[in-house]
Amino acid sequence: HFQVNTRTGDASAGAVAQTGNSQFGTDFLVIKNRDQADEWKNLNRIRTATKELNWDSQAVESTDANGVTAFSASDGYTVGTGAGGYNDTGESFIDYHWKADGTTGASNTDGTITSTVSTNDTAGFSYGKYTGNGTDGATVGHGNVGTPTFGYVKRVDNTTTRSWLAKFPG
């Protein structure tokens, strides 16, 4: 359900397989260059492989055609030549892989706002996207059984309104 692997960049496009105890299709991926101050790259199957958000930035969603180019159905992802935090020659990277349901998401109408979510009930993990409606107190379905213990939200199209918001129920 979760896998961490380290690798050394080589600036060559190709598959990046998981190197830990198990292999699975990566649905949610975070990449960090451990040698440089590049942003934490946050990518997922719902938003598509080339769309990145950065955990340590207020920047809007961006497209990097030379970063992650595809998610594998079985064991990792494909990376492009990827300078700037994906695959720089000789630099050390750490990848965090999460498994959800292996899809690009399903419509969820559990909240007052319809969302698109991908879930893994066994691991108690889900992620998704939605379009806000500007209504205070609006709710968004998460797709998992039970109540989440943590959630975060990032507006992907505006840097002046909000950065990352974390929510701890209770």
Side-chain angles (χ1 to χ4, degrees), residues 55-133:
W55 271 352
D56 50 347
S57 168
Q58 285 190 228
V60 297
E61 179 181 71
S62 61
T63 301
D64 188 340
N66 292 312
V68 173
T69 58
F71 289 103
S72 168
S74 60
D75 69 350
Y77 65 94
T78 302
V79 69
T81 54
Y86 284 101
N87 197 19
D88 305 85
T89 300
E91 294 180 4
S92 177
F93 294 86
I94 189 163
D95 302 336
Y96 301 91
H97 303 252
W98 282 266
K99 176 183 179 179
D101 62 17
T103 72
T104 56
S107 181
N108 183 293
T109 58
D110 290 342
T112 58
I113 297 175
T114 298
S115 58
T116 300
V117 299
S118 182
T119 63
N120 180 334
D121 276 326
T122 302
F125 166 75
S126 69
Y127 71 95
K129 70 177 184 176
Y130 69 92
T131 300
N133 63 10

Side-chain angles (χ1 to χ4, degrees), residues 12-97:
S12 296
V16 176
Q18 297 164 359
T19 58
N21 295 329
S22 63
Q23 274 68 55
F24 53 82
T26 299
D27 293 308
F28 189 90
L29 175 66
V30 174
I31 299 172
K32 178 62 177 128
N33 183 330
R34 299 187 323 166
D35 292 331
Q36 300 295 323
D38 297 323
E39 291 98 356
W40 288 79
K41 311 295 187 184
N42 174 326
L43 306 108
N44 67 66
R45 201 178 290 267
I46 291 176
R47 288 191 351 264
T48 72
T50 61
K51 302 290 186 186
E52 76 175 48
L53 289 171
N54 305 117
W55 271 352
D56 50 347
S57 168
Q58 285 190 228
V60 297
E61 179 181 71
S62 61
T63 301
D64 188 340
N66 292 312
V68 173
T69 58
F71 289 103
S72 168
S74 60
D75 69 350
Y77 65 94
T78 302
V79 69
T81 54
Y86 284 101
N87 197 19
D88 305 85
T89 300
E91 294 180 4
S92 177
F93 294 86
I94 189 163
D95 302 336
Y96 301 91
H97 303 252

